[in-house]
Amino acid sequence: MPAPAYSTPEDNRENTAGALPPGMVLGPDGKPCRTCTDWKSWSKIGKSKSKKESKESKESNTTTTTSQTGNTASAAAAAAAAAAVAGAGTGTDGSSSFNYEAECPPDKEILGRATWTFLHTMAAYYPEKPSAMEQSTMKSLLSSFSQFYPCGYCAEHLRQEMKVDPPKVESRKELAWWMCGMHNKVNEMLGKDIFDCNKLDERWRDGPADGRCD
Ligand SMILES: Cc1cc2nc3c(=O)[nH]c(=O)nc-3n(C[C@H](O)[C@H](O)[C@H](O)COP(=O)(O)OP(=O)(O)OC[C@H]3O[C@@H](n4cnc5c(N)ncnc54)[C@H](O)[C@@H]3O)c2cc1C
């Protein structure tokens, strides 16, 4: 069987012997894949690049305006990266409210949260009694989704799970519970809490009974 065209965090731990920061994952183009990597691991690229540039600058001892600008930008980016891990901080432009999620391309975590929000909300509003055409369209959507989800090894896991447990599209409740089960398999694999699927409507459609979301 041919090797997958992307790596996983495990491949990196086992095979690259420190060539990349731990947790860093390569995409099909052989370059670091942001949407397969958590931001903490991703930001280490910026930091090591910044350190390397700084070292090179000291060694050459040339201080042109251009190189100073480049180093300052890299250092600021690294500072912003560190701040972003903490939630907020100084941005690359010196602003005091850098917000990674609002300003930067998504990492694996942000993409995952946004995608689950879309998938569970879509299931929560799926018809109670879908027509044959609606059922077929939903199956196609999920199949296409699992081909194109931009974290390669996440998509591969999903495709494998969907072979064993194909999407249930016969009703809103069946789709929502199937999606909940898929998400719980990922939660389990990642060591996260298992979600109580009885709370699906409260979480994704109606909001809690105390009205705090109304
Ligand atoms: C299809 C898919 C596959 C993924 N595969 C991987 C992978 O292989 N490896 C990896 O590292 N990351 C993977 N991710 C990302 C991962 O699942 C998380 O999205 C990411 O780690 C962020 O987690 P989180 O704790 O913020 O909450 P998330 O897991 O993103 O959950 C968001 C919210 O959904 C609710 N929720 C949690 N579980 C359920 C459930 N079972 N049913 C309904 N609602 C629920 C909770 O309120 C939670 O706050 C995948 C994401 C997707 C969409």
Side-chain angles (χ1 to χ4, degrees), residues 85-130:
V85 172
T90 304
T92 50
D93 60 354
S95 65
S96 60
S97 58
F98 176 77
N99 179 336
Y100 181 84
E101 186 157 354
E103 298 175 36
C104 305
D107 71 346
K108 182 184 65 172
E109 306 294 299
I110 292 171
L111 177 69
R113 274 193 289 280
T115 305
W116 286 124
T117 296
F118 165 66
L119 290 172
H120 292 302
T121 309
M122 179 175 69
Y125 288 88
Y126 186 65
E128 301 286 353
K129 290 183 183 165

Side-chain angles (χ1 to χ4, degrees), residues 34-52:
R34 191 191 289 253
T35 51
C36 318
T37 305
D38 68 85
W39 167 245
K40 278 189 189 171
S41 307
W42 183 264
S43 68
K44 286 183 185 135
I45 288 189
K47 283 176 196 154
S48 58
K49 200 173 153 201
S50 169
K51 267 191 200 160
K52 192 170 165 243

Side-chain angles (χ1 to χ4, degrees), residues 108-109 112-113 115-116 120 145 149 153-154 157-158 180 183-184 186-187 189-190 192 195 200 203-204:
K108 182 184 65 172
E109 306 294 299
R113 274 193 289 280
T115 305
W116 286 124
H120 292 302
F145 165 84
Y149 189 65
Y153 70 91
C154 305
H157 285 156
L158 185 65
C180 185
H183 193 165
N184 273 338
V186 180
N187 289 341
M189 186 177 69
L190 298 177
K192 295 182 193 248
F195 184 89
L200 276 172
R203 174 67 178 89
W204 295 109

Side-chain angles (χ1 to χ4, degrees), residues 34-206:
R34 191 191 289 253
T35 51
C36 318
T37 305
D38 68 85
W39 167 245
K40 278 189 189 171
S41 307
W42 183 264
S43 68
K44 286 183 185 135
I45 288 189
K47 283 176 196 154
S48 58
K49 200 173 153 201
S50 169
K51 267 191 200 160
K52 192 170 165 243
E53 282 181 11
S54 169
K55 195 173 163 225
E56 281 168 5
S57 167
K58 273 186 197 157
E59 279 168 8
S60 68
N61 202 21
T62 53
T63 52
T64 64
T65 309
T66 313
S67 71
Q68 274 175 1
T69 309
N71 287 333
T72 306
S74 294
V85 172
T90 304
T92 50
D93 60 354
S95 65
S96 60
S97 58
F98 176 77
N99 179 336
Y100 181 84
E101 186 157 354
E103 298 175 36
C104 305
D107 71 346
K108 182 184 65 172
E109 306 294 299
I110 292 171
L111 177 69
R113 274 193 289 280
T115 305
W116 286 124
T117 296
F118 165 66
L119 290 172
H120 292 302
T121 309
M122 179 175 69
Y125 288 88
Y126 186 65
E128 301 286 353
K129 290 183 183 165
S131 66
M133 177 65 92
E134 285 168 332
Q135 294 184 38
S136 159
T137 305
M138 179 54 74
K139 275 189 191 164
S140 303
L141 189 156
L142 293 170
S143 168
S144 307
F145 165 84
S146 75
Q147 289 293 321
F148 291 106
Y149 189 65
C151 165
Y153 70 91
C154 305
E156 174 65 23
H157 285 156
L158 185 65
R159 287 195 294 274
Q160 294 304 327
E161 290 296 341
M162 281 170 63
K163 272 189 201 157
V164 179
D165 182 9
K168 296 193 173 65
V169 297
E170 290 75 17
S171 70
R172 182 181 86 81
K173 185 173 180 188
E174 287 200 69
L175 181 63
W177 275 70
W178 177 83
M179 200 72 82
C180 185
M182 283 289 135
H183 193 165
N184 273 338
K185 283 179 192 167
V186 180
N187 289 341
E188 190 180 3
M189 186 177 69
L190 298 177
K192 295 182 193 248
D193 290 344
I194 299 301
F195 184 89
D196 177 358
C197 300
N198 288 302
K199 298 199 170 147
L200 276 172
D201 281 354
E202 175 182 323
R203 174 67 178 89
W204 295 109
R205 207 177 62 155
D206 302 332

